[in-house]
């Protein structure tokens, strides 16, 4: 972008009379035109929401870039209101089909809300009480700045977690987004970005600690989005305070992303029993130049350091983080085992010494991901007594090499012993 910032004026030149909303692919910012700003009612007097920013020009007018909670709280509810239940039902069915065709048998939802709940409940009715794939959901908790209001959100999550939705869907916990992303310089770091900028946490410790402790006491799994080292430190401080307050109860909390974490973080997580939930695809070599440039120093040498968590003995769970990244599982495994790009093979590997053996990567995406949501005794292994959830490929990456992960096709997906996707049937139905 000219000047490094997208503006409403740029979009106005292309389409000025129709509101335009463009989500960044990481879903941490939104770019809108002047018609959209007017439709949203955003003016120079509109305050920034907690943890977010309406980017403004020198005169105080909104430029068209909405960061973090400014996108989540101002744009998303408005756009959701423009969709019908029929739209959402169709989208969910298409998502089921796409995931099953990619060999995915289970998903962890990390931003569940009332609209999502109603959509899932309708899907359960359509599918006779059993969804095509298994879903473990985390109720999204917004930082209102008020501890009582935050606690009320946690109580709603606990209420839903106590309800039996059947074998394929459950609310397992809550989700806090503690910071933003490094690429947009909104992740919370201990040291400034290369441009001198800084970003505070969306959930400072004094607000996160009481809400997290309430969730812990209610037996909910806590998931904290923490990309920067300051955010992961806040998350672990809050988890440790909750453990001290609530005593020795069964718990398996998790931190999402951990793209750059301070030395010693992995060891602390192992000691506290906190899962490192990470996404190999986010360090695709074609995506790393901007990430590296934003840090601009030796911090980049420890980016996405999966091996640290393995060596420390922390549970390490892999996923794709769709829709901020492609949902296909195999390219994710390719990046994990090569540190190369699944998008552009002209890029050199990034920190290849941090790549993992293929067996390790697959274990983190299956066995350990199942364990991360409490299903380690019943799911995630090809073993007698475990749920028959698996995918069959037309190639063997152990025999043919990791490059085949970019071309291999899923020929069959099985959930609970039932074939839910077959390539031959899919080709017949599409006429291919």
């Amino acid at each position: 972008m000219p000047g490094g910032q997208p503006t409403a004026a740029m979009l106005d030149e292309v389409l000025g009379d129709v509101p335009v909303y463009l989500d960044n692919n990481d879903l941490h910012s939104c770019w809108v035109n002047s018609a959209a700003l007017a439709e949203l009612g955003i003016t120079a007097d509109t305050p920034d929401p907690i943890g977010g920013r309406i980017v403004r020009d020198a005169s105080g007018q909104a430029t068209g870039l909405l960061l973090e909670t400014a996108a989540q709280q101002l744009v998303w509810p408005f756009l959701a209101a423009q969709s019908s239940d029929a739209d959402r039902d169709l989208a969910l069915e298409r998502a089921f089909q796409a995931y099953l065709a990619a060999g995915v048998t289970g998903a962890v939802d990390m931003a569940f809300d009332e609209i999502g709940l109603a959509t899932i409940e309708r899907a359960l009715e359509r599918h006779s009480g059993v969804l095509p794939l298994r879903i473990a959901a985390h109720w999204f908790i917004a930082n209102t700045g008020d501890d009582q209001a935050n606690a009320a959100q946690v109580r709603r999550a606990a209420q839903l977690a106590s309800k039996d939705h059947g074998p394929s869907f459950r609310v397992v916990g809550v989700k806090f987004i503690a910071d933003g992303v490094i690429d947009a310089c909104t992740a919370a770091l201990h040291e400034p970005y290369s441009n001198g900028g800084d970003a505070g946490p969306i959930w400072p410790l004094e607000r996160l600690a009481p809400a997290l402790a309430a969730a812990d006491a209610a037996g909910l799994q806590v998931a904290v989005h923490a990309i920067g080292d300051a955010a992961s430190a806040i998350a672990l401080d809050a988890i440790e305070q909750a453990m001290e307050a609530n005593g020795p109860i069964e718990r398996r909390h998790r931190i999402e992303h951990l793209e750059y974490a301070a030395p010693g973080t992995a060891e602390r997580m192992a000691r506290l029993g906190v899962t490192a939930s990470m996404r190999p695809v986010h360090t695709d070599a074609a995506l790393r130049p901007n990430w590296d440039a934003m840090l601009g120093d030796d911090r980049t040498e420890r980016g996405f350091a999966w091996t640290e968590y393995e060596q420390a003995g922390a549970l390490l769970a892999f996923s794709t983080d769709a829709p901020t990244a492609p949902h296909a599982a195999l390219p994710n495994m390719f990046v994990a085992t090569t540190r190369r790009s699944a998008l552009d093979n002209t890029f050199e590997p990034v920190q290849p010494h941090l790549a993992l053996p293929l067996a390790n990567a697959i274990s983190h995406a299956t066995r350990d991901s199942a364990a991360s949501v409490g299903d380690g005794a019943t799911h995630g292994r090809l073993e007698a007594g475990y749920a028959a959830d698996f995918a069959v490929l037309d190639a063997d990456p152990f025999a043919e090499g990791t490059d085949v992960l970019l071309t291999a096709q899923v020929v069959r997906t099985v959930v609970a012993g039932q074939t839910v996707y077959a390539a031959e049937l899919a080709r017949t139905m599409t006429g291919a």
Side-chain angles (χ1 to χ4, degrees):
M1 291 294 171
Q5 294 284 338
T7 65
M10 296 176 187
L11 293 177
D12 292 345
E13 292 181 12
V14 180
L15 197 62
D17 57 342
V18 176
V20 176
Y21 297 85
L22 299 177
D23 274 319
N24 195 6
N25 71 326
D26 59 24
L27 299 183
H28 280 262
S29 61
C30 189
W31 175 23
V32 301
N33 67 352
S34 296
L37 287 171
E39 186 170 60
L40 293 169
I42 294 176
T43 69
D45 297 325
T46 304
D48 290 341
I50 294 173
R53 184 160 67 95
I54 301 170
V55 178
R56 307 172 196 269
D57 60 21
S59 67
Q61 298 297 320
T63 66
L65 183 59
L66 307 172
L67 299 177
E68 300 300 335
T69 59
Q72 296 167 11
Q73 296 179 18
L74 302 179
V75 175
W76 293 1
F78 174 81
L79 292 182
Q82 312 313 308
S83 298
S84 67
D85 286 347
D87 294 331
R88 286 184 268 271
D89 293 345
L90 177 60
L92 183 59
E93 292 299 328
R94 291 179 60 202
F96 284 151
Q97 295 169 15
Y99 273 74
L100 295 173
V104 177
T105 63
V108 181
D109 191 303
M110 279 295 177
F112 207 57
D113 58 13
E114 296 289 355
I115 291 176
L117 175 64
T119 305
I120 287 290
E121 288 176 337
R122 291 193 301 274
L124 286 167
E125 291 181 8
R126 289 195 304 275
H127 292 278
S128 302
V130 180
L131 300 177
L133 53 77
R134 305 179 195 275
I135 299 177
H138 291 74
W139 196 251
F140 181 78
I141 309 295
N143 180 16
T144 66
D146 181 286
D147 289 343
Q148 294 303 315
N150 294 342
Q153 297 177 74
V154 173
R155 287 195 296 273
R156 175 60 172 152
Q159 177 188 39
L160 294 172
S162 68
K163 183 178 178 180
D164 183 3
H165 296 274
S168 61
F169 173 77
R170 59 208 166 100
V171 175
V172 298
V174 294
K175 170 71 175 297
F176 300 94
I177 297 183
D179 70 344
V181 291
I182 288 174
D183 297 272
C185 299
T186 55
L189 299 170
H190 282 127
E191 300 295 332
Y193 288 89
S194 60
N195 61 8
D198 201 357
I202 296 171
W203 280 89
L205 181 60
E206 60 269 22
R207 293 285 75 78
L208 180 61
L212 193 151
D216 179 71
L220 296 167
Q221 180 177 66
V222 170
V224 184
H225 166 114
I227 283 182
D229 58 342
S232 56
I234 289 171
L236 289 172
D237 287 347
I239 289 171
E240 195 154 19
Q241 288 183 26
M243 294 173 68
E244 292 172 357
N246 297 328
I249 58 178
E250 185 176 346
R251 54 172 65 88
R252 169 58 75 178
H253 300 320
R254 53 197 290 154
I255 296 181
E256 309 301 314
H257 303 299
L258 294 157
E259 292 185 6
Y260 174 72
T265 299
E267 290 76 12
R268 187 181 182 192
M269 290 177 67
R271 177 174 59 82
L272 296 175
V274 177
T275 298
S277 177
M278 304 180 75
R279 282 88 204 171
V281 71
H282 282 175
T283 192
D284 185 294
L287 306 178
R288 275 295 293 268
N290 183 70
W291 192 94
D292 291 343
M294 295 304 99
L295 292 183
D297 53 30
D298 59 4
R299 288 175 292 185
T300 63
E301 295 304 311
R302 294 186 51 262
F304 304 85
W306 314 313
T307 54
E308 291 186 10
Y309 300 92
E310 282 193 336
Q311 292 163 6
L315 184 67
L316 175 60
F318 279 167
S319 64
T320 62
D321 204 46
T324 73
H327 68 277
L330 300 183
N332 202 35
M333 296 297 91
F334 174 81
V335 175
T337 58
T338 65
R339 303 283 289 207
R340 289 163 54 195
S341 173
L343 303 172
D344 186 340
N345 63 12
T346 64
F347 283 84
E348 293 296 319
V350 178
Q351 301 157 302
H353 63 284
L354 296 178
L356 300 178
L358 178 59
N360 293 34
I362 291 175
S363 293
H364 294 318
T366 54
R367 178 196 65 196
D368 297 340
S369 286
S372 76
V373 289
D375 291 339
T378 55
H379 296 77
R381 298 172 184 259
L382 291 174
E383 189 172 321
Y386 278 67
D389 295 0
F390 61 89
V392 181
L393 309 182
D394 66 355
D396 181 357
F398 290 98
E400 302 175 48
T402 53
D403 282 6
V404 79
L405 290 166
L406 298 180
T407 57
Q409 299 294 309
V410 174
V411 297
R412 184 177 297 273
T413 304
V414 176
V415 176
Q418 301 295 315
T419 295
V420 290
Y421 169 80
E424 291 183 3
L425 178 60
R427 284 195 292 270
T428 300
M429 293 178 66
T430 60

